[in-house]
């Protein structure tokens, strides 16, 4: 059935395999450098904002409270990932040191066993 074209076009695109999904990049709002600097400074002192503080920050920076909330949420996630990477690096370095000491101890033990057997 032809109903003015809209549904017909979508059906035809669907049948022919043409994607009909629309990107939401048009709706994306980027933060200004000044806004990001302010948010970063606030994050250093507190990584969670109370609802009242969130409203105040949003108003101060000319943003929607939801934008501020999502920025903080994303920042916490990135911060946590970075912390995990740092912790992993420390653990990896400690493991390498211990593995090296174990190998040295094994060689030392082997040398001592040989000395005992030869004496």
């Amino acid at each position: 059935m032809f109903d003015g074209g809209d549904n017909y076009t979508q059906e035809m695109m669907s049948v022919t395999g043409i994607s009909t999904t629309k990107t939401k990049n048009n709706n994306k709002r980027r933060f200004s450098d000044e806004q990001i600097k302010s948010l970063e400074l606030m994050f250093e002192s507190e990584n969670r904002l109370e609802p009242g503080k969130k409203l105040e920050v949003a108003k101060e920076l000319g943003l929607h409270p939801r934008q501020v909330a999502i920025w903080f949420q994303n920042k916490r996630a990135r911060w946590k990932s970075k912390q995990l990477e740092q912790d992993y690096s420390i653990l990896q370095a400690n493991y390498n040191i211990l593995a090296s000491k174990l190998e040295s101890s094994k060689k030392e033990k082997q040398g001592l066993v040989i000395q005992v057997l030869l004496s």
Side-chain angles (χ1 to χ4, degrees):
M1 181 169 143
F2 187 79
D3 61 346
D6 231 5
N7 287 337
Y8 177 77
T9 303
Q10 286 181 339
E11 287 175 17
M12 289 305 294
M13 291 174 79
S14 166
V15 169
T16 59
I18 299 172
S19 175
T20 59
T21 57
K22 294 180 181 179
T23 59
K24 293 187 177 184
N25 288 341
N26 300 347
N27 296 336
K28 255 188 188 178
R29 291 189 184 174
R30 300 280 180 195
F31 296 100
S32 71
D33 291 341
E34 185 178 304
Q35 289 169 328
I36 291 172
K37 285 177 188 174
S38 295
L39 291 167
E40 292 280 355
L41 284 171
M42 285 177 225
F43 186 82
E44 286 178 16
S45 63
E46 53 187 316
N47 62 7
R48 290 191 186 273
L49 292 180
E50 296 296 323
K53 180 73 172 174
K54 178 176 58 177
L55 290 171
E56 180 184 319
V57 168
K59 189 174 184 181
E60 187 179 301
L61 297 177
L63 298 169
H64 296 285
R66 185 77 183 131
Q67 287 177 289
V68 173
I70 290 172
W71 187 92
F72 268 80
Q73 182 179 1
N74 291 340
K75 181 67 176 178
R76 280 192 304 273
R78 287 189 302 268
W79 178 79
K80 185 176 180 180
S81 292
K82 191 174 183 178
Q83 287 299 117
L84 287 172
E85 287 175 12
Q86 289 174 349
D87 291 347
Y88 176 80
S89 295
I90 291 167
L91 288 172
Q92 184 71 45
N94 288 337
Y95 171 81
N96 291 339
I97 291 167
L98 288 173
S100 175
K101 286 181 180 180
L102 176 63
E103 284 304 311
S104 295
S105 295
K106 283 181 180 178
K107 287 180 183 176
E108 184 180 349
K109 177 188 171 191
Q110 190 177 16
L112 292 172
V113 167
I114 292 171
Q115 274 183 350
V116 168
L117 291 175
L118 292 177
S119 50

